[in-house]
């Protein structure tokens, strides 16, 4: 039986477990966090990924936990609406909090794989017949294959492909998202305020019981410690100091928030998604950036294709990885292009472009080519033709050691 070590238990990792287990592979997942991570921002699905969720049998459950967000409203400094988007523009065809999605995927796979939380791979050493992995905990194990599903700053990519600086393409922006009080009383909606190079927003979450604050800004590369949260919060406070609307109140939330996300808006570009017996899935291999709206779709579809090709190749991982690469390239390119376009649109660099954007949103319902614009993200979501791999044999979900 082929043994596969997967690093990362967020979206791509557990989705890969689901398929690999069904095809008869034995999987182990190592996750740096002490448990599946709850909460987080909203992520959405478009196009082909919905078909994959359906084939995994979890579409109904994801729909049951959907955010059901309505339109987002762009406001000016005094809170007056200046433009409104369609619900789909921000929330795709189906939107869920990332933590809820992680929950669904963990529940789906917990009994079929070995999960090692609170650990990480310290070294990988591959030869012709397998890969020796040493974990930070001191554990040593040998696997047939290793997959990195450990996100933008992938540990597996660093170990098998080399330093991140060779593959990361910063788009010139930073993003921060954290939970705050729903002090505006938003009901399944959000507000967005923009100044050239800066975008601040808030949207209701968990049936309006809380809200998320988001801060995006254009910047040259910043140097900061990725583990130093207070230092990152200070960057946000400094970048947005003096802005009007609800910005001071949202910044106040930094002091009490139970969670905090801060990172550059970047993409990962690799000439190949594998090196020998090691391959990458999701953000680790082809991050398209939060502003593509396609990251979760890429991870779910990528896991489906990678597992399907490994199964179809009947043990020839070289052939499987090559086909995985070929099948994903065009889809990744379309999603990454959307990431670049989305950033320009969401964080306009000039007053002039802000006015143009607001006018476009206002005029959209009356434009004859409205459907074309509406359907653009959907076209990207469907920029891959899903191969139907041989049906999964019904495998019992027996607990594993
Ligand atoms: C603010 C924000 C908004 C977003 N909005 C959207 C959206 O609207 N729509 C959308 O489709 N996508 C969105 N995304 C992107 C989406 O969240 C990602 O594309 C998606 O989560 C990628 O899944 P993944 O499994 O590849 O990686 P990740 O979700 O990044 O998960 C990586 C996992 O690996 C773990 N890990 C990291 N290092 C190690 C290590 N050394 N050892 C073991 N485990 C490790 C992490 O703890 C994590 O659990 C957004 C992202 C952000 C940040």
């Amino acid at each position: 039986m082929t043994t596969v070590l997967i690093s990362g238990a967020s979206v791509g990792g557990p989705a890969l477990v689901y398929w690999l287990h069904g095809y008869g592979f034995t999987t182990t997942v190592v996750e740096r966090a002490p448990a599946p991570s709850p909460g987080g921002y909203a992520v959405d699905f478009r196009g082909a990924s919905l078909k994959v969720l359906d084939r995994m049998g979890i579409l109904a459950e994801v729909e049951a936990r959907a955010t059901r967000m309505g339109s987002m409203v762009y406001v000016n400094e005094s809170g007056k609406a200046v433009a409104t988007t369609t619900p789909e523009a921000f929330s795709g065809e189906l939107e869920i909090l990332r933590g809820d999605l992680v929950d669904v995927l963990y529940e789906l796979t917990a009994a079929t794989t070995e999960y090692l939380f609170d650990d990480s791979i310290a070294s990988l050493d591959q030869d012709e017949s397998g890969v020796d992995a040493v974990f930070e905990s001191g554990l040593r194990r040998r696997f047939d294959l290793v997959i990195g599903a450990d996100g933008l700053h992938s540990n597996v990519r660093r170990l098998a492909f080399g330093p991140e600086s060779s593959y990361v393409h910063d788009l010139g922006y930073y993003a921060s998202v954290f939970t705050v009080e729903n002090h505006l009383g938003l009901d399944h909606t959000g507000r967005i305020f923009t100044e050239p190079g800066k975008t601040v927003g808030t949207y209701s979450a968990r049936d309006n019981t809380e809200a998320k604050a988001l801060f995006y800004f254009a910047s040259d590369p910043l140097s900061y410690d990725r583990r130093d949260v207070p230092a990152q919060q200070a960057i946000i406070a400094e970048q947005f100091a003096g802005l009007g609307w609800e910005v001071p109140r949202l910044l106040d939330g930094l002091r009490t928030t139970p969670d905090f996300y801060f990172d550059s808006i970047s993409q990962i570009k690799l000439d190949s998604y594998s090196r020998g017996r090691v391959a990458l899935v999701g953000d680790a291999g082809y991050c398209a950036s939060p502003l593509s709206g396609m990251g979760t779709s890429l991870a779910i579809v990528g896991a489906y294709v990678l597992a399907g090709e490994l199964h179809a190749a009947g043990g020839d991982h070289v052939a499987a990885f090559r086909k995985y690469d070929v099948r994903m390239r065009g889809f990744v390119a379309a999603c990454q292009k959307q990431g670049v376009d989305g950033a320009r649109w969401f964080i306009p660099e000039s007053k002039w472009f802000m006015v143009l954007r607001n006018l476009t949103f206002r005029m959209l319902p009356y434009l004859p080519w409205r459907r074309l614009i509406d359907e653009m993200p959907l076209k990207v979501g469907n920029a891959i033709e899903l191969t139907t791999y041989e049906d999964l044999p019904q495998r019992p979900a027996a607990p594993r050691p």
Side-chain angles (χ1 to χ4, degrees):
M1 210 183 253
T2 308
T3 56
V4 185
L5 170 63
I6 299 164
S7 175
S10 174
V11 182
L16 190 60
V17 165
Y18 170 80
W19 293 107
L20 288 180
H21 170 76
Y23 293 137
F25 292 65
T26 300
T27 56
T28 296
V29 181
V30 58
E31 164 60 51
R32 190 179 49 188
S37 63
Y41 40 82
V43 294
D44 45 28
F45 290 100
R46 291 178 170 87
S49 57
L50 289 159
K51 287 190 200 136
V52 177
L53 292 181
D54 194 22
R55 291 180 193 179
M56 293 171 79
I58 55 170
L59 181 58
E61 202 175 340
V62 174
E63 278 171 346
R65 297 172 78 160
T67 59
R68 282 180 276 281
M69 285 294 279
S71 305
M72 295 290 267
V73 181
Y74 281 90
V75 294
N76 65 15
E77 208 166 29
S78 48
K80 184 167 174 281
V82 290
T84 303
T85 72
T86 59
E88 297 78 25
F90 266 86
S91 307
E93 290 179 87
L94 175 60
E95 187 184 65
I96 182 171
L97 289 184
R98 195 189 71 114
D100 288 351
L101 177 64
V102 171
D103 236 30
V104 172
L105 291 168
Y106 179 69
E107 285 301 315
L108 179 73
T109 54
T112 64
T113 189
E114 177 185 27
Y115 272 106
L116 305 173
F117 285 102
D118 214 1
D119 207 349
S120 173
I121 304 169
S123 73
L124 289 173
D125 188 12
Q126 52 174 317
D127 55 41
E128 276 178 17
S129 61
V131 191
D132 289 313
V134 179
F135 295 78
E136 283 179 359
S137 61
L139 186 71
R140 287 166 182 270
R141 297 260 291 269
R142 187 169 170 83
F143 298 88
D144 295 315
L145 303 171
V146 175
I147 311 294
D150 41 6
L152 174 62
H153 304 294
S154 170
N155 182 41
V156 168
R157 190 183 59 227
R158 182 178 56 80
L159 293 171
F161 292 66
E164 180 169 307
S165 54
S166 314
Y167 311 108
V168 74
H169 291 250
D170 292 333
L171 298 189
Y173 307 93
Y174 285 81
S176 177
V177 182
F178 49 92
T179 302
V180 292
E181 267 180 53
N182 183 5
H183 77 272
L184 291 176
L186 300 169
D187 181 3
H188 294 93
T189 182
R191 300 283 180 271
I192 300 170
F193 170 68
T194 37
E195 283 282 317
K198 292 188 182 5
T199 293
V200 185
T202 179
Y203 59 87
S204 63
R206 298 209 181 283
D207 277 332
N208 310 325
T209 56
E210 61 182 35
K212 305 288 171 186
L214 50 93
F215 290 81
Y216 285 73
F217 61 98
S219 168
D220 289 333
L222 299 171
S223 84
Y224 61 94
D225 181 346
R226 284 224 315 273
R227 286 156 304 181
D228 188 347
V229 169
Q232 295 164 30
Q233 293 183 332
I235 294 174
I236 299 297
E238 188 191 329
Q239 284 284 339
F240 291 87
L243 257 65
W245 182 58
E246 297 289 328
V247 176
R249 181 91 187 252
L250 292 171
L251 284 175
D252 274 351
L254 279 171
R255 286 190 276 114
T256 49
T257 185
D259 50 25
F260 179 74
Y261 170 89
F262 179 75
D263 210 335
S264 60
I265 297 192
S266 308
Q267 297 188 330
I268 295 296
K269 297 191 176 184
L270 291 165
D271 55 359
S272 162
Y273 305 136
S274 63
R275 290 282 189 276
R277 293 179 165 272
V278 180
L280 303 170
V281 75
D283 276 8
Y286 30 78
C287 179
S289 100
L291 293 176
S292 68
M294 288 303 299
T296 35
S297 294
L298 271 171
I300 286 283
V301 170
Y304 171 81
V305 175
L306 177 55
E309 292 303 336
L310 280 167
H311 169 60
D316 181 353
H317 70 274
V318 177
F321 288 168
R322 199 181 315 119
K323 280 206 165 167
Y324 165 59
D325 225 286
V326 170
R327 292 205 193 282
M328 289 299 292
R329 283 272 152 203
F331 188 36
V332 168
C335 295
Q336 292 194 330
K337 180 176 180 313
Q338 182 151 289
V340 174
D341 296 345
R344 284 202 200 107
W345 201 245
F346 192 59
I347 315 162
E349 299 264 347
S350 66
K351 278 256 185 237
W352 176 86
F353 197 81
M354 272 170 55
V355 171
L356 178 73
R357 180 202 55 192
N358 295 347
L359 195 66
T360 307
F361 279 134
R362 278 210 301 272
M363 296 298 293
L364 203 56
Y366 314 104
L367 295 176
W369 56 89
R370 176 200 164 157
R371 274 180 64 85
L372 245 120
I373 296 177
D374 278 352
E375 284 169 9
M376 232 152 28
L378 197 60
K379 222 171 135 192
V380 173
N382 281 316
I384 182 166
E385 201 168 318
L386 289 180
T387 303
T388 303
Y389 299 100
E390 191 188 309
D391 275 349
L392 294 179
Q394 289 304 308
R395 282 181 189 279
R400 303 198 36 244

